[in-house]
Amino acid sequence: MSEITVIALDAMGGDNAPGEMVKGAVDALGREQDIKVYLLGKEDIVNAELQKYTYDKNRLEVVNTTEVIETAEPPVNAIRRKKDSSIVVGMKMVKEGKADAFVSAGSSGAILVGGQVIVGRIKGVERPPLASLIPTEKGVALLIDCGANVDARASHLVQFAKMGSIYMEHVVGIKNPKVGIVNIGAEEEKGNALVKETFPLLKEEKELNFIGSVEAREIPHGQADVIVTEAFSGNVILKLYEGVGAVLISKVKEGLMSTLRSKIGALLIKPALKTTLKSFDASEYGGAPLLGLNGLVVKTHGSSKAKEVSNTLIQCVTFKKQKINEVWFLGDMFSPGPGALEQWKLFKSLEPSVCVRGNWDDLLVNGYKGRLSLEKPSRVFFSRLAEFIGMQLGSAIIDEIEHWPLHQLIDVNNLRFSCAHNLPFHNFGQKLYPTSSQTTFDEVLKDTKADVALYAHVHHPLMRYTTSEQLVINPGRRTFL
């Protein structure tokens, strides 16, 4: 069995809670074995709903919460005051690592505030956006932001574009996704002040496949894979999309059932029509993740039925497998100079899931603990430097660094990554310089059975292959990935 994805589901949020929330959770358990759901809500009410179903009690538990945040409540006050609400408790479960994701159809405002205040933003993210998949002629597109930041700035929209591009490539699987900004015309000089300010900034971002402006009528045709806008326009587009889709599906069904001839025709085309109409059903695409947080928070429609709830829970399994929010640290934490404790606090705030020791980390530990030979002048320098940094950090942090491994193997989907500072069991030396021989690079993956090797020693950007066609990458920067 694969790794279990643990999800906290707000059983009290949404127009159809708790009935549709509970039904969706039970349905998800039947569709996906590698999932466990915590239903958060008033225990007696939730248990009454659960009595209607047969389910695996080892994979579904009720967490009693005594308060409910209503849609009309001021979000900030609600998060502060209702500490035992399903939204606050669910967010804390993600923050504390008790759940991999939190899903709610409840108050959008409370979810946005709670996501930032409780779960917290990834360092450097200015505003977390809501990102929703919408159907197009070519498949799906990501609409970002569709409800979180009405008064966004140009710098926010640039970050939305970057996060959306990463999401579409690593979660949806679209390579080099096309990014467009919502506008009233294709020309660069058109648009409001925000669009005019953002357009040249997006053009300058070389890592983005920016194609320019996208008019609303081109969105259904799939002109862009990532549709960037502020939340006011995004939410209007999303709800118009959903409304038109629902009406279209309804009118098609009505037309097909209007006469005996049309009913016979409907019977003949039913399989193909069912597939086509399914692609325009918003409930098929799950919820909208709040991107840029230190954990996974997903908002589903307030009117969600069991089908959308179930799809959203399954969606969380995909999110976890992609590890898009993880930080991997490949060694060499400290260098000469002050500010070591502040650097450590920043490092811990990133909550890295991979930490391997670099040669500078070993020098720090061994120098601080008096293990370095002082025969060479360089060792005297390292010893004094370790003493200086150690005075800032304290022995507990030094001990934590000492227990980092030299090498870790990480599985992401069908790929295995080998993470080390240098060679898997040797974190110093000059073997992996860019000019080193092919034989040396073959050593990186020799006994690891990995597909990709990540290393950081010499801090020089590099991408090579072993003779067995395994990939070897050095990011060429401070060793965070």
Side-chain angles (χ1 to χ4, degrees):
M1 179 181 287
S2 303
E3 187 179 2
I4 295 293
T5 300
V6 180
I7 304 168
L9 173 61
D10 178 7
M12 309 306 293
D15 302 335
N16 302 305
E20 295 296 317
M21 303 299 116
V22 173
K23 184 179 178 182
V26 173
D27 179 60
L29 293 181
R31 294 169 57 196
E32 174 62 60
Q33 291 300 308
D34 300 329
I35 192 173
K36 178 171 183 176
V37 178
Y38 287 104
L39 283 168
L40 280 54
K42 296 183 177 180
E43 195 170 26
D44 53 342
I45 297 175
V46 177
N47 281 329
E49 288 293 330
L50 280 172
Q51 288 178 2
K52 302 175 183 178
Y53 307 100
T54 300
Y55 59 92
D56 184 352
K57 292 180 172 59
N58 293 321
R59 296 194 293 129
L60 193 152
E61 295 182 28
V62 177
V63 176
N64 185 42
T65 59
T66 59
E67 297 175 300
V68 177
I69 295 178
E70 304 294 344
T71 304
E73 289 186 70
V76 176
N77 288 338
I79 292 295
R80 285 176 178 171
R81 294 175 182 176
K82 293 190 172 180
K83 302 295 186 185
D84 199 40
S85 65
S86 50
I87 290 178
V88 172
V89 172
M91 297 277 190
K92 286 183 177 178
M93 289 179 70
V94 173
K95 175 67 175 178
E96 295 167 2
K98 296 176 182 177
D100 298 305
F102 172 67
V103 174
S104 177
S107 166
S108 296
I111 292 167
L112 298 176
V113 172
Q116 296 190 61
V117 173
I118 299 173
V119 178
R121 289 174 291 169
I122 293 174
K123 202 74 176 179
V125 172
E126 297 179 37
R127 296 279 187 88
L130 276 171
S132 180
L133 288 174
I134 55 176
T136 71
E137 185 180 347
K138 298 177 181 178
V140 293
L142 187 74
L143 181 62
I144 183 172
D145 184 3
C146 64
N149 304 283
V150 175
D151 299 314
R153 298 196 299 267
S155 61
H156 301 157
L157 265 60
V158 172
Q159 287 197 345
F160 297 169
K162 291 179 179 180
M163 287 186 277
S165 184
I166 292 170
Y167 181 96
M168 288 301 282
E169 182 157 355
H170 295 282
V171 176
V172 181
I174 297 176
K175 299 299 181 184
N176 197 27
K178 294 179 290 184
V179 178
I181 186 169
V182 174
N183 204 346
I184 58 173
E187 300 84 358
E188 185 173 345
E189 62 272 12
K190 284 194 173 181
N192 59 18
L194 177 61
V195 172
K196 289 180 179 179
E197 184 182 355
T198 306
F199 196 105
L201 298 179
L202 290 173
K203 284 179 65 177
E204 292 173 3
E205 295 293 336
K206 301 304 181 185
E207 72 267 30
L208 293 177
N209 183 12
F210 180 58
I211 63 169
S213 296
V214 176
E215 296 180 80
R217 67 187 175 201
E218 298 299 331
I219 294 175
H221 292 295
Q223 182 179 354
D225 303 305
V226 180
I227 313 295
V228 179
T229 184
E230 34 67 40
F232 185 89
S233 299
N235 198 256
V236 169
I237 292 170
L238 179 65
K239 289 178 177 174
L240 178 62
Y241 225 98
E242 293 169 351
V244 170
V247 170
L248 176 63
I249 292 171
S250 175
K251 297 302 284 185
V252 169
K253 289 180 178 178
E254 180 183 319
L256 290 173
M257 295 295 105
S258 60
T259 66
L260 178 60
R261 179 180 293 180
S262 65
K263 288 179 181 178
I264 295 172
L267 187 63
L268 295 174
I269 66 171
K270 183 178 178 180
L273 183 64
K274 186 176 181 180
T275 301
T276 301
L277 294 182
K278 184 178 180 181
S279 68
F280 283 91
D281 184 355
S283 65
E284 291 291 332
Y285 298 97
L290 191 58
L291 300 183
L293 298 180
N294 286 315
L296 180 56
V297 174
V298 184
K299 171 71 172 74
T300 64
H301 297 90
S303 58
S304 292
K305 296 289 186 69
K307 182 180 181 181
E308 183 169 356
V309 174
S310 176
N311 285 336
T312 302
L313 296 175
I314 301 301
Q315 185 184 36
C316 291
V317 178
T318 303
F319 291 151
K320 181 178 179 181
K321 287 180 179 178
Q322 294 295 340
K323 301 180 184 289
I324 57 176
N325 268 355
E326 290 196 11
V327 174
W328 297 355
F329 175 67
L330 302 183
D332 279 6
M333 169 64 68
F334 301 105
S335 55
L341 186 58
E342 288 73 19
Q343 187 174 335
W344 176 259
K345 290 178 179 178
L346 174 60
F347 168 74
K348 296 296 284 186
S349 73
L350 296 173
E351 300 181 355
S353 58
V354 172
C355 292
V356 295
R357 291 198 324 273
N359 56 308
W360 276 84
D361 304 315
D362 274 352
L363 287 169
L364 169 63
V365 170
N366 292 327
Y368 181 78
K369 297 193 173 186
R371 300 172 185 161
L372 290 180
S373 169
L374 302 182
E375 294 177 358
K376 296 181 179 180
S378 61
R379 289 297 187 259
V380 175
F381 167 74
F382 288 134
S383 181
R384 294 301 301 271
L385 176 62
E387 181 182 355
F388 174 67
I389 294 176
M391 288 174 60
Q392 300 175 62
L393 299 178
S395 58
I397 294 176
I398 300 294
D399 289 342
E400 181 177 342
I401 294 171
E402 185 175 19
H403 285 91
W404 289 346
L406 289 177
H407 176 241
Q408 283 188 255
L409 288 172
I410 307 296
D411 292 317
V412 181
N413 287 342
N414 296 319
L415 291 177
R416 170 160 287 191
F417 290 82
S418 168
C419 299
H421 184 69
N422 194 33
L423 292 169
F425 304 103
H426 191 75
N427 65 3
F428 60 93
Q430 301 178 4
K431 281 196 170 184
L432 294 181
Y433 271 41
T435 54
S436 296
S437 68
Q438 182 64 49
T439 304
T440 302
F441 281 94
D442 287 345
E443 290 184 38
V444 180
L445 288 160
K446 184 177 180 181
D447 299 314
T448 62
K449 296 182 180 179
D451 304 290
V452 181
L454 300 172
Y455 80 102
H457 193 54
V458 309
H459 308 282
H460 191 292
L462 175 144
M463 185 175 74
R464 288 183 63 157
Y465 288 91
T466 67
T467 52
S468 300
E469 296 188 353
Q470 299 156 297
L471 189 59
V472 180
I473 298 175
N474 189 319
R477 62 182 69 185
R478 296 293 289 181
T479 51
F480 289 94
L481 289 175

